[in-house]
Amino acid sequence: MTRNPIGARYLEDRMVYNVAVIGAGNWSKNHLLGWRAQKDAKITWVVRSNEERAKARAEEWGVANYTADYKKVFADPDVHIVDLVLPHDLHAKLAIEALEAGKHVVLEKPLAENIEDAQRLADAAAASKLKVMVAENWNYGTFVSRAKKLLEAGAIGRPYMIRGALDLDIRYAFKGVAWRHQSERMGGGVLIDAGTHAISVMRHLMGEITEVSAQIDNYDFPDLGSMEDTALVLTRFASGAMGLLSATAVATKVRNSTSFMIMGEKGAIEFDTHDRSFFTTIDKKRSEEFTLEPSRGLVEQMTHFLSAIREDTTPLTSPMEQMGSMRTILAAYESARTGRTVKTEEIRAK
């Protein structure tokens, strides 16, 4: 067996990839869940901007190496993958540096906080032989995968409308996190944050979005300043189908919900990833899918990424693919600002 020149361990006949998690804050625990489920991956570095916090997280996770200097990780020849769980404005910068250092990259959504940085990263990833995946975990989860298969099989006929509703109270996630209160680092409010997931799902199921009309406002989250806590987005797809997304970060419901409904000529598909419900309606007969094991795709996305590396394929949510989500979100902001319908092709890097 030929061993990898950069010192990877092997499990039977498969290489075990060493992973460095950069930005090990609260959300990184979800990435830990994904990596620990992989037999051919191991977290070997934890990076945080504060050395003591990096040490504490490394001890919590049982990881030997920690640092506050991410460049140490990029210089380590035994690191194969870097996982960036960072503020939006650092995504493109560090992902490009990681590629230049010869590392595969997983990065949190969104692609970047503006179209210029997003395009730079998409171009760099496309030009590289290394793999880059945006962690749009919903696209890899049970419900979205099942809906995609049903649509491809023609179960509900030609789909003509999709509706998504993100009824969330996520103010807790912003407490004590300074960058989440800075528009220049976030790029926007609930739409570019949680809404990115929903837009990605809608595109995955229905195809590319070509036109956007939107309204946004801040009703009950003054800490966000000029950024929105609530958004309504109307979309037109290349197929001619329509879409509607409502998203709020200040929901007053008993519990959060993230629901989608796809309407077709012969029936409908409905699911809610929080309620863990999945229904299909064919010829006006509704049935619940009891056989599904609900997941948010946290494990499946990492499995998919490792497969893309081994098989030399492009990840489903590559940076170039996710440019469609960036254009849609930024078109929504432009529509809200100008009061007009905006074509996504108008959103281009200068």
Side-chain angles (χ1 to χ4, degrees):
M1 180 187 300
T2 302
R3 288 195 172 267
N4 187 283
I6 55 176
R9 298 180 301 114
Y10 280 76
L11 182 70
E12 297 176 351
D13 62 340
R14 287 167 67 160
M15 183 171 132
V16 176
Y17 295 91
N18 295 328
V19 181
V21 177
I22 302 179
N26 288 333
W27 187 252
S28 66
K29 295 177 182 179
N30 291 293
H31 287 236
L32 171 69
L33 174 69
W35 289 121
R36 281 195 168 165
Q38 312 304 320
K39 292 182 178 180
D40 45 357
K42 180 182 179 181
I43 297 176
T44 57
W45 277 94
V46 170
V47 183
R48 299 190 76 173
S49 58
N50 179 287
E51 185 93 14
E52 287 303 311
R53 289 184 177 181
K55 179 181 179 182
R57 185 70 84 209
E59 290 176 348
E60 177 188 346
W61 290 0
V63 175
N65 304 302
Y66 62 89
T67 183
D69 182 3
Y70 71 88
K71 292 187 177 181
K72 287 184 179 179
V73 167
F74 289 174
D76 184 348
D78 286 337
V79 171
H80 312 110
I81 299 169
V82 296
D83 185 356
L84 306 177
V85 195
L86 295 165
H88 300 173
D89 63 319
L90 296 178
H91 289 181
K93 178 181 184 297
L94 265 70
I96 292 171
E97 285 188 37
L99 288 173
E100 291 171 347
K103 314 300 184 186
H104 300 289
V105 181
V106 173
L107 69 146
E108 257 301 325
K109 54 75 186 167
L111 198 52
E113 85 287 8
N114 61 61
I115 195 64
E116 286 78 20
D117 284 347
Q119 189 66 63
R120 285 196 308 115
L121 174 52
D123 291 343
S128 176
K129 293 182 179 180
L130 297 161
K131 304 303 176 185
V132 185
M133 181 184 76
V134 182
E136 283 290 358
N137 56 289
W138 292 10
N139 284 24
Y140 300 94
T142 308
F143 290 159
V144 175
S145 297
R146 175 63 174 161
K148 181 70 170 178
K149 289 179 181 178
L150 287 170
L151 289 170
E152 290 177 341
I156 63 170
R158 181 178 64 88
Y160 62 84
M161 183 176 70
I162 184 170
R163 183 171 66 238
L166 306 188
D167 299 327
L168 308 171
D169 185 354
I170 53 175
R171 283 170 283 198
Y172 70 91
F174 288 72
K175 289 182 179 179
V177 185
W179 70 269
R180 283 191 170 276
H181 301 267
Q182 301 169 19
S183 60
E184 68 275 13
R185 303 199 70 186
M186 282 280 289
V190 67
L191 187 55
I192 201 169
D193 194 46
T196 301
H197 279 314
I199 293 295
S200 186
V201 167
M202 292 168 72
R203 292 178 50 251
H204 180 54
L205 296 178
M206 301 289 285
E208 284 302 335
I209 293 169
T210 58
E211 294 182 359
V212 181
S213 298
Q215 293 193 20
I216 61 174
D217 212 327
N218 188 313
Y219 290 103
D220 197 27
F221 204 168
D223 287 351
L224 286 183
S226 62
M227 296 182 287
E228 81 285 355
D229 64 21
T230 302
L232 282 174
V233 182
L234 180 66
T235 65
R236 176 74 72 171
F237 293 87
S239 66
M242 294 186 293
L244 176 65
L245 171 65
S246 64
T248 184
V250 292
T252 52
K253 297 170 64 174
V254 173
R255 60 178 178 175
N256 290 344
S257 65
T258 54
S259 60
F260 293 87
M261 185 278 296
I262 306 108
M263 192 73 72
E265 293 173 320
K266 298 192 299 182
I269 299 168
E270 303 170 67
F271 58 93
D272 188 316
T273 60
H274 276 78
D275 286 343
R276 298 186 174 185
S277 58
F278 190 105
F279 296 92
T280 57
T281 302
I282 309 296
D283 295 329
K284 297 187 177 181
K285 294 181 181 179
R286 191 179 191 188
S287 63
E288 185 172 4
E289 297 283 346
F290 292 101
T291 58
L292 293 179
E293 288 292 334
S295 85
R296 291 187 295 158
L298 297 169
V299 171
E300 292 89 342
Q301 68 179 352
M302 301 312 184
T303 302
H304 173 85
F305 185 63
L306 292 174
S307 177
I309 294 173
R310 288 193 304 269
E311 299 173 15
D312 193 22
T313 57
T314 301
L316 174 66
T317 52
S318 69
M320 195 61 76
E321 188 278 333
Q322 281 296 297
M323 283 298 293
S325 295
M326 281 297 302
R327 291 192 185 98
T328 299
I329 291 163
L330 296 179
Y333 286 140
E334 180 67 8
S335 174
R337 185 183 71 83
T338 62
R340 67 181 180 88
T341 297
V342 176
K343 294 184 181 297
T344 54
E345 65 182 12
E346 297 177 39
I347 308 301
R348 300 286 179 184
K350 297 178 181 178

